[in-house]
C-alpha cells in the first residue's frame, strides 16, 4: 500500500512556467498585454480557431458567449443535467431560461433526442437561443446531431469544452473554425485541475466578429478600436460603448498558459496512456463499466470516470472512495447533476428522477486520478488499490 497520498488532480508545473512568470513580472507588464495576446494567438493556432479571447475563467468564457450572441430574456438555452453548475448559472444570469435535458447512457454527454424534444416544447413567446453541450470528461458530444438541430431552429451552439483540450470530433479539433451555417462558440477552462492550467483562466474561440464583441464585453464594454477615439492626441481617452464585465486575463496568467500550451501535446499523450492502462486493467471486472470512447473522436481524458455496477458488488460508491482514500488514493465524483443541487431544486422544483439517466449514473461514478505527472508506479498503485477493494469485497460476499 502507498505510504503517501496520491492527489487527485494537482497542477503539473515546472521551471518553464516559473521562468515565464518571472519574465512577465520583470517586464513590468502584469495585466492584459503582450503575453495574453501571444497566448491567444498560439491557442488559436493550436486549436485551429478563427479567433480566440483569453479571459479569467471558463465560466466567464461561457457567460461572454451568451452575451455576445445577445441571449437574454425570452431566450431558452438547452444544457445537460449531468453538468457542472457554471454554464447553467451563466444562462440564468442573462435572464434567459435554462432548460436541462438528460444525457446519453453510454457517454454521459447530452442526448440529442432529448435536445430535439426540449426544442419542440418551448413556452409561448420563447425562442431557442442556443444549445450548450458539455464535452464531458473530454469525450466530444454528438456534434453532428446538435448542429443539425441548431440549424433547424436557427440557434447557436455554445460548446462547454472545459474538459476537452485537446480533443477532436470526426477530424475537427474542438474549438476549430468550421462552416456550419450557425454561430459556434467554444469555451475552455484553465482552472487549477484542468489539462492546461493558468491557476484560474479560460479561453473563448469562435468567429472573429463574435470574439470581438466578447472582447469588448470582457473589459467593461470599452471599445478599443483606435478609430473610435482620438488616442493619439488624448491617450487618456476611452469610451464605454455597452455594458460589460471585468473578465480579462492577466499577463501573469498568460505566462503560465504559454508554457503549458507548449507542453500540451506531451500531456495529452500521457493522459491517453494512463487511460489505456486503466481500461486494460478494469475492463474484465464485472464490478465496473469503463468509460466510453466512441470511434471518430479523440478523447482528452481529462477525467477518468469509472462506473460501479452498484448492485452486484454490494459496496456503495461512498465506501469505495473511502477505501481508496484509506489506501492513499484520492478520488472524486463528476458530477452531482445540476438538478440535484438545492439551488436548482428550490428555484425549479425538480426531483432526482426528472433526469433518470443523470441521476442513476451519478450514483455509480468514481473519478480516478489521471494526470501527466503520475509515474507508472502511481498508475499501478491505483490499479492495485482498486483491485484489492474488489477482491476483498468478493471475499466478504462469499463468506457472508
Ligand atoms: C464542465 C465545466 N464547465 C465549466 C467549468 C467552469 O470553469 P472555470 O472553473 O474555469 O470557471 C468547469 C470547471 O471547473 C467544468 O468542469
Amino acid at each position: 500500500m502507498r505510504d503517501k497520498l496520491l492527489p487527485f488532480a494537482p497542477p503539473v508545473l515546472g521551471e518553464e512556467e516559473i521562468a515565464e512568470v518571472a519574465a512577465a513580472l520583470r517586464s513590468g507588464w502584469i495585466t492584459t498585454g503582450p503575453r495574453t495576446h501571444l497566448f491567444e494567438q498560439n491557442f488559436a493556432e493550436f486549436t485551429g480557431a478563427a479567433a480566440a479571447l483569453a479571459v479569467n475563467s471558463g465560466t466567464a468564457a461561457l457567460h461572454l458567449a451568451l452575451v455576445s450572441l445577445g441571449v437574454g430574456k425570452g431566450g431558452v438555452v438547452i444544457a445537460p443535467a449531468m453538468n457542472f453548475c457554471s454554464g447553467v448559472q451563466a444562462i440564468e444570469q442573462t435572464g434567459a431560461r435554462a432548460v436541462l435535458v438528460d444525457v446519453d447512457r453510454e457517454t454521459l454527454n447530452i442526448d440529442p433526442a432529448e435536445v430535439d424534444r426540449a426544442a419542440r416544447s418551448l413556452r409561448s413567446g420563447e425562442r431557442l437561443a442556443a444549445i450548450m453541450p458539455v464535452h464531458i470528461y473530454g469525450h466530444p458530444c454528438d456534434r453532428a446531431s446538435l448542429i443539425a438541430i441548431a440549424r433547424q431552429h436557427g440557434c447557436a451552439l455554445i460548446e462547454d469544452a472545459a474538459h476537452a483540450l485537446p480533443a477532436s470530433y470526426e477530424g475537427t479539433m474542438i474549438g476549430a473554425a468550421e462552416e456550419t451555417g450557425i454561430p459556434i462558440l467554444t469555451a475552455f477552462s484553465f482552472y487549477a485541475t484542468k489539462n492546461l492550467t493558468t491557476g484560474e483562466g479560460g479561453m473563448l474561440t469562435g468567429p472573429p466578429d463574435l470574439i470581438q464583441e466578447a472582447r469588448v464585453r470582457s473589459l467593461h464594454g470599452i471599445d478599443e478600436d483606435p478609430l473610435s477615439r482620438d488616442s493619439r492626441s488624448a491617450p487618456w481617452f476611452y469610451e464605454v460603448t455597452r455594458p460589460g464585465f471585468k473578465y480579462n486575463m492577466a499577463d501573469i496568467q498568460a505566462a503560465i498558459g504559454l508554457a503549458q500550451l507548449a507542453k500540451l501535446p506531451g500531456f495529452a499523450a500521457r493522459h491517453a496512456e494512463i487511460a489505456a492502462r486503466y481500461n486494460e486493467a478494469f475492463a474484465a471486472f464485472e464490478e465496473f463499466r469503463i468509460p466510453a470512447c466512441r470511434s471518430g473522436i479523440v478523447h482528452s481524458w481529462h477525467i477518468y470516470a469509472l462506473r460501479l455496477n452498484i448492485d452486484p458488488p454490494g459496496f456503495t460508491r461512498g465506501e469505495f472512495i473511502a477505501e481508496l482514500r484509506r489506501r492513499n488514493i484520492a478520488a472524486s465524483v463528476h458530477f452531482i447533476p445540476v438538478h440535484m443541487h438545492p439551488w436548482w431544486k428550490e428555484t425549479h422544483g425538480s426531483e432526482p428522477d426528472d433526469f433518470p439517466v443523470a441521476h442513476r449514473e451519478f450514483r455509480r461514478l468514481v473519478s480516478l486520478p489521471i494526470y501527466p505527472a503520475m509515474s507508472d508506479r502511481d498508475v499501478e498503485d491505483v490499479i492495485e488499490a482498486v483491485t484489492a477493494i474488489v477482491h476483498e469485497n468478493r471475499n466478504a460476499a462469499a463468506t457472508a
Side-chain angles (χ1 to χ4, degrees), residues 162-224:
H163 301 177
L165 181 68
S168 69
Y169 175 89
E170 304 289 354
T172 300
M173 192 99 163
I174 299 301
E178 201 182 1
E179 265 314 313
T180 59
I182 53 156
I184 299 183
L185 287 162
T186 309
F188 296 87
S189 163
F190 307 140
Y191 177 64
T193 59
K194 295 295 189 279
N195 286 8
L196 183 159
T197 186
T198 59
E200 298 282 356
M203 189 77 77
L204 185 66
T205 66
D209 56 333
L210 287 171
I211 294 298
Q212 178 53 26
E213 178 63 19
R215 190 176 295 283
V216 173
R217 300 275 190 170
S218 74
L219 198 61
H220 305 300
I222 296 171
D223 198 330
E224 291 194 80

Side-chain angles (χ1 to χ4, degrees), residues 56-60 62 83-84 86-87 134 160 162-163 188-191 193-194 200-202 302-303 334-335:
N56 57 15
S57 73
T59 306
L62 289 166
N83 201 341
F84 186 56
S86 83
V134 180
D160 181 340
H163 301 177
F188 296 87
S189 163
F190 307 140
Y191 177 64
T193 59
K194 295 295 189 279
E200 298 282 356
H302 169 56
I303 288 169
H334 297 85
F335 290 102

Side-chain angles (χ1 to χ4, degrees), residues 337-386:
V338 170
H339 72 290
M340 294 176 68
H341 287 286
W343 148 65
W344 184 270
K345 281 195 288 197
E346 281 158 23
T347 49
H348 296 79
S350 61
E351 295 295 330
D353 266 335
D354 286 355
F355 306 103
V357 179
H359 176 219
R360 192 181 52 243
E361 299 306 314
F362 152 65
R363 296 169 58 230
R364 306 170 57 196
L365 285 167
V366 178
S367 306
L368 298 177
I370 184 167
Y371 47 91
M374 284 176 76
S375 67
D376 289 348
R377 182 65 255 160
D378 294 334
V379 176
E380 295 309 314
D381 284 348
V382 175
I383 293 169
E384 281 170 25
V386 168

